[in-house]
Amino acid sequence: CRRPDARRLIRHRPEPRNNPMSSPLPYLIRMLLFLVIVAAIGWLLHDDLIRVFLNTPTLDSVILGVLVLGIFFGPAQAASRSLMARLVPRGMEAEMFGLYALTGKATAFAGPLLLGWATVAYGSQRAGMATTLAFIALGFVLLLFVKAPKRA
């Protein structure tokens, strides 16, 4: 009993429909730039924000956290996968998305590790949380060098 050749099956897939959607790259760049600006403003206004948030810290923190996560990180994940799908060479989709998933899992320790290291090294949770700004800024800079293919 012979197994079907997976490469042959992939090569004979139907052509994708002409999709008029725009590239996700500008959205990702704008989202990262906005996050860097908001984080920098939060860093500069830290003392004033703490004073205001002390009135209702739990409610304010939950509202702010939900807004940031809901508005930016949900759509960013979808846009990054969409961009990845457009960048993958034809016939290498499984390999590239496997690598995409593996790198996400393999580097998941880097953020918490650097955050913990900075918190201990500087004796400040603010310094530890500032490392997240560094990761976001690095992602923004790296994303500037990505050349998304033009839509037909």
Side-chain angles (χ1 to χ4, degrees):
C1 177
R2 288 187 58 193
R3 291 176 30 197
D5 183 16
R7 292 180 191 197
R8 198 178 111 251
L9 293 174
I10 290 172
R11 273 188 235 131
H12 294 296
R13 66 173 185 230
E15 288 296 316
R17 288 181 263 150
N18 188 6
N19 193 343
M21 289 183 5
S22 62
S23 169
L25 187 60
Y27 167 78
L28 289 171
I29 289 172
R30 285 191 303 264
M31 183 262 322
L32 284 173
L33 180 62
F34 182 81
L35 282 175
V36 168
I37 291 169
V38 167
I41 290 171
W43 182 268
L44 293 172
L45 299 175
H46 176 263
D47 294 332
D48 293 331
L49 290 173
I50 292 297
R51 201 169 31 258
V52 169
F53 270 55
L54 285 178
N55 292 329
T56 56
T58 304
L59 181 60
D60 291 342
S61 298
V62 169
I63 290 171
L64 184 63
V66 168
L67 283 173
V68 168
L69 291 174
I71 291 172
F72 295 104
F73 288 104
Q77 184 180 18
S80 67
R81 287 186 181 168
S82 173
L83 178 62
M84 176 72 180
R86 293 182 61 207
L87 294 173
V88 170
R90 197 174 282 284
M92 294 187 65
E93 291 86 356
E95 293 94 333
M96 292 297 123
F97 273 99
L99 181 62
Y100 179 77
L102 176 67
T103 56
K105 301 283 188 226
T107 60
F109 70 92
L113 181 69
L114 188 59
L115 186 145
W117 175 82
T119 300
V120 170
Y122 293 103
S124 166
Q125 290 183 350
R126 279 181 73 188
M129 290 305 293
T131 62
T132 60
L133 177 60
F135 275 110
I136 292 170
L138 177 64
F140 172 74
V141 170
L142 291 174
L143 203 53
L144 290 175
F145 295 100
V146 174
K147 302 294 184 224
K150 299 286 184 201
R151 281 273 178 190

